[in-house]
Amino acid sequence: MGCLKFIIKVIIVILAVIGFRSLGGWDWCVKTFHIGEKPTQESIIEKSMDVADFSKIPDEYEISKSANVLGYRAVIAQHEATGQKLAVVNENKGIKLTKEDFKNGQLKKKIDDINKKLSYQYIHIEDFKILKQGTMKTMGQTVPYAQFEAEVTNLPIKKIKGMISVAQDNDGKNKIIVSANDGGKYSQIIAEQFFKNVKLSKTSKED
């Protein structure tokens, strides 16, 4: 239970980066994520089709949760060997990140604004820094990404590193893509290996 609790806390931090508001504590997490239940990968992937098609991801990754969180539709995965977390979140009016933000210099400002709104939470991130930017393949398209690092409050880990990106479906709706891990353990290769195998679902086919 201690390990699972730690994983859920790290997931909370990842989701905070992309604009999740207050999650309401550990009891709320237990109720929302149905901790203790162990659905099959097949059933989780089937339930995740409204976000993306995860059926082709490599065996070393596991979809851990497919959940609706305060109006946000998120699918969260983990790289089994390293514990690196990966998430895809459907567009929501509370998430204002776009592909253009990676080109016009607005990305850091937008995330800093989000962090200011979240600063009252017990678990939040501080000193968000963009390390480098690039592009990668996912969902049948080339997308921009930014690697980041940030300090974490009130968790056993003190710093996380990761990547944030935005993809788009054929309806023009954004999908926020995030991967993160303990500062010294983050791997861009692990992130790209996962996301290049994530496809648009049948309800929003690839070009």
Side-chain angles (χ1 to χ4, degrees):
M1 176 63 73
C3 179
L4 182 56
K5 182 176 179 179
F6 174 75
I7 289 171
I8 294 296
K9 284 185 175 181
V10 173
I11 289 170
I12 290 172
V13 172
I14 294 172
L15 298 182
V17 171
I18 55 176
F20 272 65
R21 292 186 287 271
S22 174
L23 297 184
W26 175 242
D27 290 338
W28 182 91
C29 290
V30 171
K31 180 179 179 181
T32 301
F33 291 105
H34 307 293
I35 292 172
E37 299 177 6
K38 184 64 174 179
T40 65
Q41 280 292 283
E42 290 77 10
S43 66
I44 297 177
I45 288 171
E46 183 177 352
K47 292 177 181 178
S48 303
M49 282 293 181
D50 59 322
V51 176
D53 182 353
F54 297 90
S55 62
K56 302 299 183 182
I57 62 172
D59 291 341
E60 62 262 34
Y61 301 86
E62 181 179 33
I63 305 297
S64 53
K65 296 298 170 189
S66 175
N68 293 291
V69 185
L70 297 178
Y72 296 85
R73 185 74 180 94
V75 176
I76 302 162
Q78 175 174 303
H79 182 252
E80 291 295 288
T82 65
Q84 185 161 317
K85 308 301 182 295
L86 312 103
V88 179
V89 184
N90 276 352
E91 182 180 65
N92 182 286
K93 63 181 180 180
I95 301 177
K96 302 296 184 182
L97 298 181
T98 67
K99 285 185 176 182
E100 288 68 32
D101 293 328
F102 292 78
K103 301 175 183 179
N104 60 20
Q106 291 297 303
L107 179 64
K108 185 177 187 306
K109 182 181 183 300
K110 286 191 174 184
I111 293 179
D112 284 343
D113 288 344
I114 290 169
N115 289 338
K116 288 178 182 178
K117 295 177 182 178
L118 295 168
S119 62
Y120 66 90
Q121 295 186 50
Y122 180 70
I123 299 172
H124 62 276
I125 63 173
E126 298 176 342
D127 196 23
F128 179 90
K129 297 177 181 177
I130 293 177
L131 303 177
K132 61 180 292 187
Q133 292 187 230
T135 60
M136 67 179 189
K137 297 284 189 180
T138 187
M139 302 184 195
Q141 58 197 277
T142 300
V143 300
Y145 72 80
Q147 288 186 24
F148 66 84
E149 68 176 10
E151 295 180 2
V152 186
T153 65
N154 300 310
L155 280 182
I157 60 174
K158 299 303 180 185
K159 181 175 289 187
I160 60 170
K161 287 187 178 180
M163 175 276 298
I164 187 165
S165 179
V166 176
Q168 198 171 63
D169 66 19
N170 286 342
D171 296 325
K173 294 181 179 180
N174 292 325
K175 294 182 182 291
I176 312 301
I177 296 168
V178 178
S179 183
N181 206 345
D182 188 352
K185 298 179 181 179
Y186 175 74
S187 167
Q188 184 67 23
I189 294 174
I190 287 173
E192 293 191 28
Q193 181 67 24
F194 175 81
F195 288 117
K196 76 177 184 180
N197 289 285
V198 176
K199 310 296 182 181
L200 292 177
S201 65
K202 295 178 181 180
T203 57
S204 184
K205 295 181 181 179
E206 296 175 5
D207 294 334

